[in-house]
Coordinates of all heavy atoms in Angstrom, one line a residue:
V1 N 0.8 -1.2 0.0 CA 0.0 0.0 0.0 C 0.9 1.2 0.0 O 0.6 2.2 -0.8 CB -1.0 0.0 1.2 CG1 -1.6 1.4 1.4 CG2 -2.0 -1.1 1.1
E2 N 1.9 1.3 0.9 CA 2.7 2.5 0.9 C 3.5 2.7 -0.4 O 3.5 3.8 -0.9 CB 3.8 2.3 2.1 CG 4.7 3.6 2.1 CD 5.5 3.6 3.4 OE1 5.2 2.8 4.3 OE2 6.4 4.5 3.5
H3 N 4.0 1.6 -1.0 CA 4.7 1.8 -2.3 C 3.7 2.3 -3.3 O 4.1 3.2 -4.1 CB 5.3 0.4 -2.7 CG 6.6 0.0 -2.1 ND1 6.7 -0.1 -0.7 CD2 7.8 -0.2 -2.6 CE1 8.0 -0.5 -0.5 NE2 8.6 -0.5 -1.6
F4 N 2.5 1.7 -3.3 CA 1.5 2.1 -4.3 C 1.1 3.5 -4.2 O 1.0 4.3 -5.2 CB 0.3 1.2 -4.2 CG -0.8 1.5 -5.1 CD1 -0.8 1.2 -6.4 CD2 -2.0 2.1 -4.6 CE1 -1.9 1.5 -7.3 CE2 -3.0 2.4 -5.4 CZ -3.0 2.2 -6.8
M5 N 0.9 4.0 -3.0 CA 0.4 5.3 -2.7 C 1.5 6.4 -3.0 O 1.2 7.4 -3.5 CB -0.1 5.5 -1.3 CG -1.5 4.8 -1.1 SD -2.8 5.3 -2.2 CE -2.9 7.0 -1.9
R6 N 2.7 6.0 -2.7 CA 3.8 6.9 -3.0 C 4.0 7.1 -4.5 O 4.3 8.2 -5.0 CB 5.1 6.4 -2.4 CG 5.2 6.6 -0.8 CD 6.6 6.1 -0.3 NE 6.7 6.3 1.1 CZ 7.1 7.4 1.8 NH1 7.4 8.4 1.1 NH2 7.1 7.4 3.1
F7 N 3.7 6.0 -5.2 CA 3.8 6.0 -6.7 C 2.7 6.8 -7.3 O 2.8 7.7 -8.2 CB 3.8 4.6 -7.2 CG 3.6 4.5 -8.7 CD1 4.7 4.6 -9.5 CD2 2.4 4.2 -9.2 CE1 4.5 4.5 -10.9 CE2 2.2 4.1 -10.6 CZ 3.3 4.3 -11.5
A8 N 1.4 6.6 -6.7 CA 0.3 7.3 -7.3 C 0.1 8.7 -6.9 O -0.4 9.5 -7.7 CB -1.0 6.5 -6.9
S9 N 0.5 9.0 -5.7 CA 0.2 10.4 -5.1 C 1.4 11.2 -4.8 O 1.3 12.4 -4.6 CB -0.7 10.2 -3.8 OG -1.8 9.5 -4.1
G10 N 2.6 10.5 -4.7 CA 3.8 11.3 -4.4 C 4.2 11.1 -2.9 O 3.3 10.9 -2.1
D11 N 5.5 11.2 -2.7 CA 6.0 11.1 -1.3 C 5.4 12.1 -0.4 O 5.0 11.8 0.8 CB 7.5 11.2 -1.3 CG 8.2 10.0 -2.0 OD1 7.6 8.9 -2.1 OD2 9.3 10.2 -2.5
V12 N 5.3 13.3 -0.8 CA 4.8 14.4 0.1 C 3.4 14.1 0.5 O 3.1 14.3 1.7 CB 4.9 15.8 -0.6 CG1 4.3 16.9 0.2 CG2 6.4 16.1 -0.9
S13 N 2.5 13.8 -0.4 CA 1.1 13.5 -0.1 C 1.0 12.4 1.0 O 0.3 12.5 1.9 CB 0.3 13.1 -1.3 OG 0.1 14.2 -2.1
W14 N 1.8 11.3 0.7 CA 1.8 10.2 1.7 C 2.3 10.6 3.1 O 1.6 10.3 4.1 CB 2.6 9.0 1.1 CG 2.7 7.9 2.1 CD1 3.8 7.5 2.9 CD2 1.7 6.9 2.4 NE1 3.5 6.4 3.6 CE2 2.2 6.0 3.4 CE3 0.4 6.7 2.0 CZ2 1.5 5.0 3.9 CZ3 -0.4 5.7 2.5 CH2 0.2 4.8 3.4
E15 N 3.3 11.3 3.1 CA 3.9 11.7 4.4 C 3.1 12.7 5.2 O 3.2 12.8 6.4 CB 5.4 12.2 4.2 CG 6.3 11.1 3.8 CD 7.6 11.5 3.1 OE1 7.8 12.8 3.1 OE2 8.4 10.7 2.7
Q16 N 2.3 13.5 4.4 CA 1.4 14.5 5.1 C 0.1 14.0 5.4 O -0.8 14.7 6.0 CB 1.4 15.7 4.2 CG 2.7 16.5 4.1 CD 2.5 17.7 3.2 OE1 1.6 18.0 2.5 NE2 3.6 18.6 3.3
L17 N -0.2 12.7 5.1 CA -1.6 12.2 5.5 C -1.8 12.2 7.0 O -0.8 12.1 7.8 CB -1.7 10.7 5.0 CG -1.9 10.4 3.6 CD1 -2.0 8.9 3.3 CD2 -3.2 11.1 3.0
D18 N -3.0 12.4 7.4 CA -3.4 12.3 8.8 C -3.0 10.9 9.3 O -3.2 9.9 8.6 CB -4.9 12.4 8.9 CG -5.4 12.1 10.3 OD1 -5.3 12.9 11.2 OD2 -5.9 10.9 10.5
P19 N -2.3 10.8 10.4 CA -1.8 9.4 10.8 C -2.9 8.4 10.9 O -2.6 7.2 10.6 CB -1.2 9.7 12.2 CG -0.8 11.2 12.1 CD -1.9 11.8 11.3
G20 N -4.1 8.8 11.4 CA -5.2 7.8 11.4 C -5.6 7.3 10.1 O -5.8 6.0 9.9
L21 N -5.7 8.2 9.1 CA -6.0 7.7 7.8 C -4.9 6.8 7.2 O -5.2 5.8 6.6 CB -6.2 9.0 6.9 CG -6.4 8.7 5.4 CD1 -7.6 7.8 5.1 CD2 -6.5 10.0 4.6
R22 N -3.7 7.2 7.4 CA -2.6 6.4 6.9 C -2.6 5.0 7.5 O -2.4 4.0 6.8 CB -1.2 7.1 7.2 CG 0.0 6.4 6.5 CD 1.2 7.2 6.5 NE 1.5 7.7 7.8 CZ 1.6 9.1 8.1 NH1 1.4 10.0 7.2 NH2 2.0 9.5 9.3
R23 N -2.9 4.9 8.8 CA -2.9 3.6 9.4 C -4.1 2.7 8.8 O -3.9 1.5 8.6 CB -3.2 3.7 10.9 CG -1.9 4.1 11.7 CD -2.1 3.9 13.2 NE -3.2 4.7 13.7 CZ -3.1 5.9 14.2 NH1 -1.9 6.5 14.2 NH2 -4.1 6.6 14.7
R24 N -5.2 3.4 8.6 CA -6.3 2.6 8.0 C -6.0 2.2 6.6 O -6.4 1.1 6.2 CB -7.6 3.5 8.0 CG -8.2 3.8 9.4 CD -9.6 4.3 9.4 NE -9.7 5.5 8.5 CZ -9.6 6.8 9.0 NH1 -9.2 7.0 10.2 NH2 -9.7 7.8 8.1
M25 N -5.4 3.1 5.8 CA -5.0 2.7 4.5 C -4.1 1.5 4.4 O -4.2 0.6 3.6 CB -4.5 3.9 3.7 CG -5.5 5.0 3.5 SD -4.8 6.5 2.6 CE -4.6 5.8 1.0
L26 N -3.1 1.5 5.3 CA -2.2 0.4 5.4 C -2.9 -0.9 5.7 O -2.6 -1.9 5.2 CB -1.1 0.7 6.5 CG -0.1 1.8 6.1 CD1 0.8 2.1 7.3 CD2 0.8 1.3 5.0
G27 N -3.9 -0.8 6.6 CA -4.7 -1.9 6.9 C -5.6 -2.4 5.8 O -6.2 -3.6 5.9
N28 N -5.8 -1.6 4.8 CA -6.7 -2.0 3.7 C -5.9 -2.8 2.6 O -6.5 -3.2 1.6 CB -7.3 -0.8 3.0 CG -8.3 -0.1 3.9 OD1 -8.9 -0.8 4.8 ND2 -8.6 1.2 3.7
G29 N -4.7 -3.1 2.9 CA -3.9 -3.8 1.8 C -4.4 -5.1 1.4 O -4.5 -5.5 0.2
E30 N -4.9 -5.9 2.4 CA -5.4 -7.3 2.0 C -6.7 -7.1 1.1 O -6.9 -7.9 0.2 CB -5.7 -8.1 3.3 CG -4.4 -8.5 4.0 CD -4.8 -9.4 5.2 OE1 -5.9 -9.8 5.3 OE2 -3.8 -9.8 5.9
T31 N -7.5 -6.2 1.4 CA -8.7 -5.9 0.6 C -8.3 -5.4 -0.8 O -8.8 -5.9 -1.8 CB -9.7 -5.0 1.2 OG1 -10.2 -5.6 2.4 CG2 -10.8 -4.6 0.3
L32 N -7.4 -4.5 -0.8 CA -7.0 -3.9 -2.1 C -6.4 -4.9 -3.0 O -6.8 -5.1 -4.2 CB -6.0 -2.7 -1.9 CG -5.4 -2.1 -3.1 CD1 -6.4 -1.6 -4.1 CD2 -4.4 -1.0 -2.7
F33 N -5.4 -5.6 -2.5 CA -4.6 -6.5 -3.4 C -5.2 -7.9 -3.5 O -5.0 -8.6 -4.4 CB -3.2 -6.6 -2.9 CG -2.5 -5.3 -2.9 CD1 -2.1 -4.7 -1.7 CD2 -2.3 -4.5 -4.0 CE1 -1.5 -3.5 -1.7 CE2 -1.8 -3.3 -4.0 CZ -1.3 -2.7 -2.8
G34 N -6.0 -8.3 -2.4 CA -6.6 -9.7 -2.4 C -8.0 -9.8 -3.0 O -8.4 -10.8 -3.5
V35 N -8.7 -8.6 -3.0 CA -10.1 -8.6 -3.5 C -10.3 -7.7 -4.6 O -11.0 -8.0 -5.6 CB -11.0 -8.3 -2.3 CG1 -12.5 -8.2 -2.7 CG2 -10.9 -9.3 -1.1
E36 N -9.8 -6.5 -4.5 CA -10.3 -5.4 -5.5 C -9.4 -5.3 -6.7 O -10.0 -5.1 -7.8 CB -10.3 -4.0 -4.7 CG -11.3 -3.9 -3.6 CD -11.3 -2.6 -3.0 OE1 -10.4 -1.8 -3.2 OE2 -12.3 -2.3 -2.3
M37 N -8.1 -5.2 -6.6 CA -7.3 -4.9 -7.7 C -7.5 -5.9 -8.9 O -7.4 -7.2 -8.6 CB -5.8 -4.9 -7.3 CG -4.9 -4.3 -8.4 SD -3.3 -3.8 -7.8 CE -3.7 -2.1 -7.2
G38 N -7.7 -5.4 -10.0 CA -8.0 -6.2 -11.2 C -9.4 -6.4 -11.5 O -9.8 -6.9 -12.6
K39 N -10.3 -5.9 -10.6 CA -11.8 -6.0 -10.8 C -12.3 -4.8 -11.5 O -13.4 -4.9 -12.1 CB -12.5 -6.3 -9.5 CG -11.9 -7.5 -8.7 CD -11.9 -8.8 -9.5 CE -11.6 -10.0 -8.7 NZ -10.2 -9.9 -8.0
F40 N -11.7 -3.7 -11.3 CA -12.2 -2.4 -11.8 C -11.6 -2.1 -13.2 O -12.3 -1.5 -14.0 CB -11.8 -1.3 -10.9 CG -12.5 -1.4 -9.5 CD1 -11.9 -2.2 -8.5 CD2 -13.6 -0.6 -9.2 CE1 -12.5 -2.2 -7.3 CE2 -14.2 -0.7 -8.0 CZ -13.7 -1.5 -7.0
E41 N -10.4 -2.4 -13.4 CA -9.7 -2.0 -14.7 C -10.4 -2.5 -16.0 O -10.3 -1.8 -17.0 CB -8.2 -2.5 -14.6 CG -7.4 -1.8 -13.6 CD -7.6 -2.4 -12.1 OE1 -8.4 -3.3 -12.0 OE2 -6.9 -1.9 -11.2
P42 N -10.9 -3.7 -16.0 CA -11.5 -4.2 -17.3 C -12.9 -3.6 -17.6 O -13.4 -3.8 -18.7 CB -11.7 -5.7 -17.0 CG -10.8 -6.1 -15.8 CD -10.9 -4.8 -15.0
Y43 N -13.5 -2.9 -16.6 CA -14.8 -2.3 -16.8 C -14.9 -1.4 -18.1 O -14.0 -0.6 -18.3 CB -15.2 -1.5 -15.6 CG -16.6 -0.9 -15.6 CD1 -17.7 -1.6 -15.5 CD2 -16.7 0.5 -15.8 CE1 -19.0 -1.1 -15.5 CE2 -18.0 1.1 -15.9 CZ -19.1 0.3 -15.7 OH -20.3 0.9 -15.8
R44 N -15.9 -1.6 -18.9 CA -16.1 -0.8 -20.1 C -17.5 -0.8 -20.5 O -17.9 -1.8 -21.2 CB -15.2 -1.2 -21.2 CG -15.3 -0.4 -22.5 CD -14.3 -0.8 -23.5 NE -14.4 0.0 -24.7 CZ -13.5 0.1 -25.7 NH1 -12.3 -0.6 -25.5 NH2 -13.7 0.9 -26.7
P45 N -18.3 0.2 -20.2 CA -19.7 0.2 -20.7 C -19.6 0.4 -22.2 O -18.7 1.1 -22.7 CB -20.3 1.5 -20.0 CG -19.4 1.8 -18.9 CD -18.0 1.3 -19.3
D46 N -20.6 -0.1 -22.9 CA -20.5 0.1 -24.4 C -21.0 1.5 -24.7 O -21.5 2.2 -23.8 CB -21.3 -1.0 -25.1 CG -22.8 -1.1 -24.7 OD1 -23.4 0.0 -24.4 OD2 -23.4 -2.2 -24.7
D47 N -20.8 1.9 -26.0 CA -21.2 3.2 -26.3 C -22.6 3.5 -26.2 O -23.0 4.6 -25.8 CB -20.8 3.5 -27.8 CG -19.3 3.6 -28.0 OD1 -18.5 3.6 -26.9 OD2 -18.8 3.8 -29.1
A48 N -23.5 2.5 -26.4 CA -24.9 2.7 -26.2 C -25.2 3.0 -24.7 O -26.1 3.9 -24.4 CB -25.7 1.5 -26.6

């Protein structure tokens, strides 16, 4: 999670996060990588 967020948002954004939010985000790693990642990217509504 930390590597991903530093890549997506930058080091400064990550380091300036509220500590409580940062702890919760770190705790979301199992959901992000075990459940979610890869499920959103293929989504594509048709033109209609």
Side-chain angles (χ1 to χ4, degrees):
V1 168
E2 180 169 349
H3 278 62
F4 176 75
M5 290 303 302
R6 287 182 182 274
F7 171 80
S9 304
D11 293 334
V12 173
S13 286
W14 175 256
E15 290 163 6
Q16 291 182 348
L17 283 180
D18 172 81
L21 173 60
R22 186 166 52 239
R23 284 193 299 272
R24 294 194 304 272
M25 292 179 72
L26 290 170
N28 289 336
E30 291 187 4
T31 291
L32 173 57
F33 302 116
V35 177
E36 294 183 345
M37 189 162 279
K39 307 304 188 300
F40 296 82
E41 293 82 356
Y43 179 76
R44 179 173 181 166
D46 60 33
D47 285 358

